[in-house]
């Protein structure tokens, strides 16, 4: 049994010796994948930041463009509109046809 035991130990040692470079190669592949994903995440975060900034600008533009003072100015100066007098307003009542 002594020779068989020594043979088993040598085989195990050879398996371990062969598997170490394999594990190192696997580690380098995983490191490359991790670096690629890290770069991708960085790019996505940068894009997200730009989109958020653009969204803030668009929201501010909406606020400016929809202000009642601006709309009233355009209506009076460019479209020659004015506020209606009370005797010019006609109220229309719509009856509910479902009743």
């Amino acid at each position: 049994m002594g020779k068989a035991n020594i043979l088993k130990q040598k085989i195990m040692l050879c398996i371990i010796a062969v598997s170490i470079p394999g594990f190192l190669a696997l580690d380098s592949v995983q490191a490359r994948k991790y670096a690629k994903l890290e770069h991708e995440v960085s790019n996505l975060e940068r894009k997200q930041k730009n989109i958020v900034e653009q969204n803030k600008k668009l929201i501010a533009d909406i606020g400016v463009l929809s202000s009642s003072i601006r709309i009233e100015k355009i209506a009076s100066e460019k479209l020659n509109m004015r506020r209606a007098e009370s005797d010019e307003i006609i109220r229309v009542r719509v009856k509910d046809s479902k009743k």
Side-chain angles (χ1 to χ4, degrees):
M1 279 274 206
K3 285 188 177 186
N5 205 10
I6 291 174
L7 184 61
K8 284 182 184 178
Q9 287 178 348
K10 285 184 180 183
I11 291 173
M12 285 299 288
L13 185 60
C14 287
I15 290 172
I16 290 172
V18 169
S19 65
I20 288 175
F23 285 131
L24 290 174
L26 182 64
D27 184 52
S28 74
V29 168
Q30 290 294 82
R32 234 181 285 137
K33 283 183 181 179
Y34 178 79
K36 182 182 174 186
L37 288 173
E38 194 173 41
H39 181 69
E40 219 174 296
V41 167
S42 175
N43 286 341
L44 290 172
E45 286 175 341
R46 189 171 35 257
K47 283 181 184 178
Q48 181 184 22
K49 182 180 177 186
N50 290 339
I51 290 171
V52 167
E53 289 300 318
Q54 186 179 18
N55 193 35
K56 286 179 184 178
K57 288 177 186 175
L58 291 172
I59 289 171
D61 288 347
I62 289 171
V64 169
L65 293 173
S66 63
S67 74
S68 59
I69 294 172
R70 179 184 167 276
I71 293 170
E72 193 169 329
K73 182 179 178 183
I74 291 172
S76 64
E77 292 176 4
K78 292 186 179 181
L79 302 174
N80 296 322
M81 297 175 82
R82 62 176 175 74
R83 286 196 175 268
E85 300 294 328
S86 61
D87 61 335
E88 297 173 321
I89 298 172
I90 300 173
R91 299 204 188 275
V92 178
R93 180 178 288 169
V94 178
K95 291 185 178 181
D96 191 7
S97 62
K98 294 181 181 179
K99 289 184 178 179

